Amino acid sequence: VLRDDGITYHQYVTELTYLLFLKMAEETETEETQHGVNIPVGFRWADLKRQSGDKQLTFYRQMLIALGEKGSERVQEIYANAQTFLKRPTNLKTLVDAIDALDWYSARHEGMGDLYEGLLKKNADEKKSGAGQYFTPRALIQCVVS
């Protein structure tokens, strides 16, 4: 779907990272915690999901900017200078609906990490310059392992 919108694998992985972080914060009930994650009220997964059509894409663009400026330091680091490459509201809706429909407890056992690594590999193959090296923002790594 996104390939038809001119989005590269690198851009796709970036979009997924932004969206998955929000969804996982909701799933794990860590949108507001003492552990360094604080997603501002009004800019959470449920807020994005509530939007529709052109308004959803406009809201998502504003949301990325807001998350880079508000919330905890960790959230600001993850979303620093974040922007979307999505041009069609239908593509954002497809991503949001697909991510929201996943059974996250089953997904752990079905290799979500393998899927993510596969996307990273496709990104490297597309660029032909990555030599198997993938970049994950330090703030995101720290959030995942803490």
Side-chain angles (χ1 to χ4, degrees):
V1 171
L2 298 182
R3 196 84 169 135
D4 292 338
D5 204 11
I7 293 176
T8 67
Y9 282 111
H10 175 72
Q11 292 166 332
Y12 185 69
V13 170
T14 300
E15 295 289 350
L16 280 180
T17 300
Y18 295 149
L19 292 169
L20 286 172
F21 180 83
L22 290 172
K23 178 60 177 169
M24 292 311 301
E26 178 188 72
E27 286 288 321
T28 58
E29 299 178 356
T30 57
E31 291 172 310
E32 190 167 354
T33 69
Q34 302 299 321
H35 305 298
V37 175
N38 185 9
I39 298 172
V41 173
F43 297 104
R44 296 179 177 176
W45 180 257
D47 302 308
L48 177 62
K49 202 171 70 169
R50 249 192 309 275
Q51 306 294 322
S52 62
D54 290 342
K55 289 181 181 179
Q56 187 179 43
L57 184 56
T58 300
F59 178 79
Y60 181 55
R61 288 179 178 137
Q62 294 168 347
M63 178 185 220
L64 293 175
I65 293 167
L67 292 172
E69 297 172 351
K70 301 176 182 176
S72 68
E73 184 178 336
R74 183 171 288 167
V75 170
Q76 288 181 37
E77 287 177 24
I78 291 168
Y79 290 94
N81 302 312
Q83 60 182 341
T84 183
F85 298 99
L86 297 169
K87 297 176 187 85
R88 298 180 189 158
T90 54
N91 288 340
L92 177 59
K93 180 177 177 18
T94 299
L95 280 175
V96 169
D97 290 349
I99 290 170
D100 200 56
L102 284 174
D103 177 357
W104 290 95
Y105 295 101
S106 298
R108 281 188 207 163
H109 304 292
E110 293 175 9
M112 289 297 282
D114 293 340
L115 176 64
Y116 187 73
E117 286 178 6
L119 283 171
L120 292 174
K121 183 181 182 319
K122 285 185 180 195
N123 175 46
D125 291 345
E126 180 180 80
K127 286 188 172 190
K128 303 265 189 241
S129 63
Q133 297 179 6
Y134 312 116
F135 174 73
T136 301
R138 287 279 162 220
L140 184 56
I141 291 169
Q142 291 170 351
C143 184
V144 169
V145 297
S146 55

